[in-house]
């Protein structure tokens, strides 16, 4: 039984894959605004298909569009959705300013807004917030790095005082701030005690993986003896891995999150110590259930499990739990839940790292 059935019991869904953008319709109930397709593979690979499945199962009209990282495009998409009669706007903001502008436009038109995954911290705030507990994600990242370093130290590959590098997410993304809050809470005591050393830390604008590569290459140049690293998501972790490989350096204890296909491959191959699995189907179905309830005029209170502060306002929220994934529990987590398949993970150079029974023709 999938996690959504155990945790929320919101819908029993037949998963439908949507490989093309759903264009705006003349009369829609719900409009979804996705942020981009480059900062993380999840938006198009996962969120779109699970939201599509949920809306199809609920028999509501909807549109799903992607701003591809352009703030003005996302504002225009919101305006078009409002024109098309959307009664609920479910969106992932690109930054606080443009997000606040979208919420203001929606509220002016009497449209309810759900912040999806990212909280809009500027302006009046959305009506609802559906996401994972990002501080918890950060805490698991920090705890996972500590475990990975402790495992590596007896091999002699880690300094007595490990030197740590950190790539944070985008400074305009509130989730990046919450993630950093989580892992710094775990690591700060080690830095303050001198047990560990923070060698370098930098934000990555717009979660841009190419910028992350350049930033980390410079970190390596300035700190050639980096022992371990935190990456705020799997895309940034891949950039760090690429930088290590380009420099002919060995892999180091390294974190990530999102449980992307690439992240799972790197975990199995020993290039990345862990990823944090945020069951996208769970959050997509929770958000869809809330949006559908609002469209139908149902009381959504049974779906709400907390509140989140925006300024002095409390935003009714659905906050979901996450799971650390290492090479030891890939099969029992992302594979067992159907979030990832061995067929998509066990390809090319990663085939030898997969269980024998999961390999092609195995």
């Amino acid at each position: 039984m999938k996690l959504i059935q155990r945790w929320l019991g919101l819908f029993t869904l037949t998963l439908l894959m949507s490989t093309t953008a759903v264009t705006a319709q003349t009369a829609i109930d719900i409009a979804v605004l996705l942020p981009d397709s480059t900062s993380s593979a999840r938006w198009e690979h996962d969120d779109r298909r699970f939201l599509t499945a949920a809306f199809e199962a609920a028999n509501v009209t909807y549109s799903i569009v992607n701003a591809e990282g352009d703030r003005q495009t996302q504002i225009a998409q919101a305006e078009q959705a409002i024109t098309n009669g959307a009664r609920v706007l479910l969106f992932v903001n690109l930054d606080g300013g443009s997000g606040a502008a979208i919420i203001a436009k929606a509220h002016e038109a009497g449209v309810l807004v759900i912040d999806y995954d990212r909280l809009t911290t500027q302006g009046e705030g959305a009506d609802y917030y559906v996401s994972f507990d990002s501080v918890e994600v950060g805490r698991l990242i920090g705890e996972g790095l500590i475990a990975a370093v402790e495992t590596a130290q007896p091999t002699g590959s880690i300094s007595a005082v490990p030197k740590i590098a950190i790539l944070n997410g985008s400074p305009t993304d509130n989730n990046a701030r919450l993630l950093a809050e989580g892992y710094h809470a775990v690591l700060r005591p080690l830095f303050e005690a001198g047990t560990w050393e923070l060698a370098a830390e930098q934000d990555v604008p717009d979660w841009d993986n190419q910028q992350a590569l350049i930033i980390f290459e410079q970190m390596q140049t300035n700190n050639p003896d980096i022992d371990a690293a935190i990456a705020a998501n799997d895309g940034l972790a891949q950039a760090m891995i690429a930088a290590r490989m380009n420099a002919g350096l060995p892999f180091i204890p390294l974190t990530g999150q999102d449980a992307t296909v690439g992240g799972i491959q790197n975990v199995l191959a020993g290039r990345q110590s862990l990823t944090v699995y945020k069951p996208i189907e769970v959050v997509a179905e929770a958000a869809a259930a809330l949006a559908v309830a609002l469209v139908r005029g149902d009381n959504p209170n049974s779906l709400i499990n907390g509140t989140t502060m925006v300024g002095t306002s409390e935003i009714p929220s659905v906050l979901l739990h996450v799971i650390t994934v290492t090479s030891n529990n890939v099969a029992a987590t992302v594979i067992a839940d159907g979030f990832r398949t061995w067929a998509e993970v066990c390809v090319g150079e990663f085939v030898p790292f997969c269980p024998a029974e999961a390999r092609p023709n195995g």
Side-chain angles (χ1 to χ4, degrees):
M1 181 177 291
K2 288 185 168 61
L3 287 173
I4 182 63
Q5 294 169 312
R6 296 200 302 266
W7 292 351
L8 297 178
L10 299 176
F11 289 107
T12 300
L13 297 174
T14 301
L15 300 182
L16 302 175
M17 174 65 76
S18 174
T19 56
T20 58
V22 180
T23 57
Q25 304 169 28
T26 55
I28 58 173
D29 294 319
I30 301 163
V32 178
L33 311 182
L34 297 176
D36 58 60
S37 57
T38 57
S39 66
S40 177
R42 61 167 284 194
W43 303 118
E44 287 296 332
H45 187 277
D46 300 314
D47 295 84
R48 178 185 287 276
R49 62 178 170 131
F50 292 132
L51 289 167
T52 295
F55 294 142
E56 294 285 348
N59 196 30
V60 294
T61 56
Y62 65 95
S63 65
I64 302 179
V65 293
N66 193 313
E68 295 299 350
D70 189 289
R71 292 153 178 77
Q72 290 305 313
T73 294
Q74 189 170 67
I75 291 172
Q77 290 171 339
E79 291 172 338
Q80 185 63 57
I82 294 167
T83 299
N84 290 344
R87 288 183 283 165
V88 176
L89 193 66
L90 190 158
F91 87 118
V92 187
N93 71 59
L94 283 163
D95 65 19
S98 62
I102 287 170
I103 291 171
K105 290 176 183 293
H107 285 171
E108 184 179 356
V111 177
L112 293 170
V113 180
I114 300 172
D115 266 342
Y116 181 60
D117 191 77
R118 296 176 185 168
L119 183 68
T120 304
T121 56
Q122 296 184 30
E124 60 193 274
D127 300 285
Y128 298 91
Y129 176 48
V130 181
S131 187
F132 296 100
D133 184 339
S134 293
V135 176
E136 180 187 7
V137 175
R139 179 180 59 78
L140 292 178
I141 286 173
E143 292 175 349
L145 189 70
I146 291 172
V149 168
E150 289 177 347
T151 298
Q153 276 183 316
T155 69
S157 61
I158 302 289
S159 303
V161 178
K163 295 184 177 180
I164 312 301
I166 299 176
L167 285 186
N168 300 311
S170 174
T172 61
D173 181 356
N174 185 61
N175 273 358
R177 181 186 64 79
L178 296 175
L179 288 168
E181 179 184 329
Y183 50 71
H184 275 295
V186 174
L187 300 183
R188 187 178 301 112
L190 298 175
F191 295 142
E192 291 177 348
T195 307
W196 284 20
E197 177 185 338
L198 179 58
E201 179 176 9
Q202 191 166 333
D203 297 341
V204 178
D206 298 322
W207 296 90
D208 186 288
N209 296 333
Q210 186 57 42
Q211 289 195 58
L213 175 65
I214 295 169
I215 291 168
F216 191 64
E217 286 178 335
Q218 187 61 52
M219 284 183 175
Q220 286 185 157
T221 299
N222 296 337
N223 304 275
D225 50 358
I226 289 172
D227 291 301
I230 278 182
N233 75 2
D234 288 344
L236 304 187
Q238 178 58 53
M240 295 169 118
I241 290 166
R244 302 290 294 180
M245 296 177 72
N246 291 345
L249 295 172
F251 301 120
I252 55 177
L254 172 64
T255 65
Q257 58 108 5
D258 278 344
T260 63
V261 171
I264 295 299
Q265 289 171 330
N266 285 328
V267 166
L268 289 172
R271 300 174 182 179
Q272 184 173 325
S273 305
L274 66 104
T275 184
V276 176
Y277 169 33
K278 302 186 300 186
I280 307 302
E281 183 177 7
V282 173
V283 74
E285 291 184 10
L290 178 58
V292 169
L294 295 173
V295 164
R296 291 176 175 167
D298 298 335
N299 189 327
N301 287 346
S302 63
L303 305 176
I304 303 300
N305 65 0
T307 59
T308 304
M309 295 300 298
V310 173
T312 59
S313 300
E314 291 186 345
I315 308 299
S317 304
V318 183
L319 301 174
L320 304 165
H321 294 292
V322 295
I323 302 167
T324 299
V325 177
T326 67
S327 58
N328 294 325
N329 68 346
V330 169
T333 54
V334 293
I335 301 298
D337 286 343
F339 181 65
R340 298 289 174 238
T341 66
W342 287 127
E344 62 184 348
V345 170
C346 302
V347 296
E349 64 179 310
F350 297 100
V351 170
F353 303 106
C354 292
E357 66 274 12
R359 299 172 189 171
N361 303 316

